[in-house]
Amino acid sequence: MLKLTYLSHSSFLLDDGTHTVVIDPFLTGNPTAPLAVDSVKAQYVVLTHAHGDHLGDALDIAEKQNALIIAVNELANYASEKGVNAHNMHIGGAYNFPFGRVKFTIAHHGSSSPEGLYMGEPAGVVITMGGKTLYHCGDTGLFLDMQLIGERDHIDCMMAPIGDNFTMGIDDAVKAVEFVKPGLAIPIHYNTFPVIAADPQVFAKKVEAQGMQARVMEYGETLEL
Ligand code: NI
Ligand code: MN
């Protein structure tokens, strides 16, 4: 069993009844965030990259809740230098944590800290937890190697950015879902700011027209996988 709560933008809270993991916790300064950072309880923080709308409140959660940050080497080192616990990984590598397995994948994007420092490569992440495997694309353009991600692991749930401008737009995201063939596709990274306005129902309809399942999650909604 895995409970998935959508914290808006690219952020999710995962809860298997024992462990809690938050992905890209951007709450403070996020006009669509359904919860304040102090209401989000997490033991682990998985980061796809260091841009402010993904790093977000990660250091605050790690510091106040003694949570472990899991990220690519450069970003994990940055977190360590800020005085919080971090586990360094990199693209292509997987590691078994007490809650499950984390594997970082490629993502075509950038990654820099709030101070403008190079933070290594941006990533997507495949997380197996509570008997389910999720693929969170991070911020990325469409790439053919997504087919390999779907071949290496059966993906129960794929979180795909659809907001365009910085990432895939709707039509590229639909193609990404075709490549990965997940059990369920959830659109992310849209409508947080005017520049990434997109209609998630259009994405869902186009995915369903390809014979696959999609679900538009409300901000703060919890889904049991
Ligand atoms: Ni980004
Ligand atoms: Mn972003």
Side-chain angles (χ1 to χ4, degrees):
M1 184 278 295
L2 183 65
K3 281 187 184 167
L4 184 72
T5 301
Y6 185 41
L7 301 179
S8 83
H9 200 56
S10 288
S11 186
F12 290 86
L13 182 67
L14 313 179
D15 185 342
D16 67 359
T18 305
H19 307 100
T20 47
V21 178
V22 69
I23 305 171
D24 287 355
F26 172 48
L27 303 159
T28 304
N30 172 355
T32 58
L35 293 173
V37 60
D38 292 339
S39 307
V40 175
K41 300 299 174 201
Q43 298 158 337
Y44 301 89
V45 182
V46 174
L47 296 176
T48 62
H49 64 296
H51 288 156
D53 57 319
H54 298 261
L55 178 63
D57 298 293
L59 295 172
D60 181 273
I61 291 170
E63 186 185 331
K64 290 186 183 152
Q65 303 184 34
N66 199 32
L68 180 70
I69 289 188
I70 301 167
V72 299
N73 185 63
E74 293 83 353
L75 177 51
N77 283 341
Y78 173 80
S80 296
E81 283 166 15
K82 297 287 185 185
V84 302
N85 294 324
H87 181 103
N88 298 38
M89 295 183 67
H90 232 304
I91 290 162
Y95 187 81
N96 291 312
F97 293 90
F99 64 87
R101 174 178 178 263
V102 173
K103 183 178 185 182
F104 282 102
T105 71
I106 62 170
H108 292 301
H109 193 65
S111 184
S112 55
S113 73
E115 302 89 343
L117 300 171
Y118 169 71
M119 285 289 117
E121 295 298 303
V125 64
V126 176
I127 301 177
T128 302
M129 179 175 177
K132 302 290 178 184
T133 298
L134 317 175
Y135 169 38
H136 186 298
C137 299
D139 281 1
T140 187
L142 178 64
F143 56 93
L144 189 60
D145 285 3
M146 284 178 174
Q147 286 181 348
L148 277 174
I149 294 168
E151 281 177 24
R152 299 301 291 145
D153 291 286
H154 171 72
I155 304 298
D156 294 295
C157 181
M158 173 177 176
M159 294 88 144
I162 66 162
D164 225 334
N165 193 77
F166 299 112
T167 68
M168 298 186 286
I170 287 173
D171 288 334
D172 280 358
V174 172
K175 194 70 191 173
V177 174
E178 286 180 52
F179 285 161
V180 175
K181 298 181 174 59
L184 181 69
I186 296 173
I188 60 172
H189 211 274
Y190 64 91
N191 290 353
T192 320
F193 309 107
V195 74
I196 56 170
D199 183 347
Q201 298 296 347
V202 171
F203 167 79
K205 284 194 178 72
K206 288 188 174 189
V207 168
E208 284 161 5
Q210 300 299 319
M212 295 174 295
Q213 300 290 314
R215 169 75 179 262
V216 177
M217 290 187 74
E218 302 292 328
Y219 303 142
E221 183 186 359
T222 299
L223 191 66
E224 195 169 319
L225 294 176

